[in-house]
Amino acid sequence: MLEQWLTSDAAYIIIGLISSMLRMATPLGLAAFGAVYSERAGVVNLGLEGLMLVGAFFGVLGSFLTGNPWTGVVFSLIAGGVMALILAIFTLKFKANHVVSGVALNLLGQGITAVLLVAIWGNRGKSPDVAGIYPVYIPGLSDIPVIGEIFFRQSPFFYMMIAIMIISWFVFYRTKWGLRLRAIGENPAAVDSLGIQVFVYKYLAVVLGGMFAGLGGACLSLGELSMFSRNMVSGRGYIAVAATILGNWNPVGVVLASLLFGLTSAIEMNLQLYGWPTQFVQMLPYIVTILVLGGFVRKVSPPKAVGKHFDRSDTYV
Amino acid sequence: MRRVLNLACRLVLALFAAGLVLYFSGYSPLAAYKAMIWGAVSSWDGIAQTLVQATPLIFTGLAVALANNCGVFNIGAEGQLYLGAMAAAVLAAYLPPLPHLLHVIIALCGGALFGGLWALIAAWLKIKADANEVIITIMLNSIGTLLCAYLANYTFKAPGPVPQTPTIHSSAALSRLGQGAQFSSALFVGLFFVLVVWFLLYHTKLGYDLKVVGSNPRAAAAAGINVPQMIGLTLLLSGALAGLGGAGQILGLHGRYIDGFSPGYGFDGVAVAILGGNSPLGVLFSALLFGLMRAGGMILDRTTNVPVDFVIIIQAAIILFVSAPELLKTLKINWKKGGVKHARTVADK
């Protein structure tokens, strides 16, 4: 019975759909971790699109320069971290509006990658092909029917996303650092009064988040296309913002939300194949987010002090 | 005066920072800036191009600035602009030819209406469910862009391979000015609305109430102002301005709706409003400045190997440096009465 089903067309399509759902969800999930870390520490991060772009670009640059795609991954981590540091400095030190700084970060990522593309490769559209990172067949496990095909023949980025999810969940909910980080997002003054260095946590969380978003970008460039093309993130940063909200700022939640949005992308790809309109499927992540925020679906609760400036001198007046 | 100096200082810092990026990319920033500015002002074509580029930014800048005055962050001008453009393009192409001015006004009103209604969704959710208007308008941007892409690809698609609507009737076109020049009377519509918004904000009770809500919603409510109604009205007007900007692009420049015609005018509006200090005249000034940089950037793109995207970096730097209140304090640049005193000059850093 099962064996018969497994050879049918329906099984082929469903397995393909789920497998590409996981693939499409990976960059979203990684980038959404960026917002989760940042916003748990109270800094709104709407710059995911820009962070992903620089991650994607520098990932390819690293691979291009050394011939080793994993150097590219390191490059993308650094690039994402440095970009996020700009966000951290402007919002935390210079007290800039978080949303405005996020918009600037997106523009910065778009501009810098486009200028460097021309400066380095003299091409306005795309980089040359570089060594990419390809799916790994996990020995043994990948031979399991269906399960192996879906879960154990994925890109290393997928396994990284799962690892980061588990570690982040553990850190957030089972360690004192995680408790402090979450408390800072809710009430920084209270945490500060316990003598904890609030700003150290904030800076670290934003930069670490930027590194994850950069990794999400590398997943697109190194993991999917093995090259960089202009504005290749094309709105995924905003979908990741949506995933953060739907996932209620929880590492496991955002991965589940990313999977949902990965599914819409996978369906969209199939529709495209048959020449059907894709726009309405593409809208789904944004519509779901609006329904959630409008209180129609489920209640989400962002960190209470997110987006607010914290100044120690205000606390003890 | 101090405010202007402060702003000028931030602008210089932003240009310096953007120049640094260019320098590290292996270009000469000074030569690039010179080519940009000289290219944009040295010829009639350059000046015309500056005005063409500035026109949509006046509208989206006004849209963002008006909402900011009411304490509402409308980051969705991009989506509202698209909706307005589509509405205007459809009215201008599918209505039978009408008397010239009438048709133009109908198409513009349609654009304003749809832009405004699109923004009103965000206002409704903000009032009803206390949903964050920033996220809602960002999501509406993507939905609006995709909706218009669908309409241009299927419902209103003109024959041919390109996703675009049919050409508009000439009775609905905003007349072009000058021979060969691309800029149209959409610019004057923009200037007119600069005056309208200025009058609204500084010379009407409505504008006064709007600013009170923006500076202190609780005090406004205590003073008997209907805050939710004011937020709704502001977003409606703000969206209408962005929609008009889109309509202006269609009726004045493209002559039809072309899929993806906006390179991000809505987000540029955020930069324009911030640099313009959220005042209508400031918006006009900064839209012209951004228009000049864009026009110059296009010339830079053609004449040197610096891509036009450099302008986006400048824009990002301007947003960052202008919107950071404690930047100058931290960099120890202080103003004393009667002049500029640098505790440490900018050059030292």
Side-chain angles (χ1 to χ4, degrees), chain A residues 46 90 93-96 100 103-104 107-108 111 114 116 118-119 124 230 238 245 277 279-280 283 286 290 293-294, chain B residues 25 27 73 75 125 128-129 131 135 139 142 146-147 154 274 301 305 309 312 316 319-320 323-327 330:
Chain A
L46 290 179
F90 272 88
K93 181 108 183 127
F94 300 148
K95 303 229 164 34
V100 170
V103 171
L107 290 174
L108 195 61
L116 286 178
V118 176
R124 278 156 204 248
R230 203 187 142 91
Y238 294 114
I245 295 164
Q279 283 87 3
F280 291 105
M283 281 179 206
Y286 312 111
I290 286 184
L293 285 175
Chain B
S25 310
Y27 300 108
F73 203 146
I75 202 169
L125 289 164
K128 185 196 149 284
I135 305 289
M139 299 298 135
S142 306
L146 287 164
L147 180 65
Y154 298 95
I274 288 171
D301 196 278
N305 53 357
D309 308 273
I312 307 177
I319 297 183
L320 282 174
S323 71
E326 304 213 337
L327 176 74
T330 315

Side-chain angles (χ1 to χ4, degrees), chain B residues 79-88 90-91 106-121 147-148 151 235-236 239-244:
Chain B
Q80 294 143 19
L81 174 121
Y82 266 107
L83 262 287
M86 180 51 92
V90 170
L91 287 171
I106 289 178
L108 284 177
C109 287
L113 181 69
F114 275 82
L117 289 178
W118 200 244
L120 206 55
I121 300 175
L147 180 65
C148 288
L151 294 175
L235 268 170
L236 181 71
L241 285 166
L244 273 173

Side-chain angles (χ1 to χ4, degrees), chain A residues 116-139:
Chain A
L116 286 178
L117 196 59
V118 176
I120 295 172
W121 291 299
N123 188 317
R124 278 156 204 248
K126 57 186 177 60
S127 75
D129 287 335
V130 295
I133 290 176
Y134 306 105
V136 173
Y137 284 45
I138 296 192

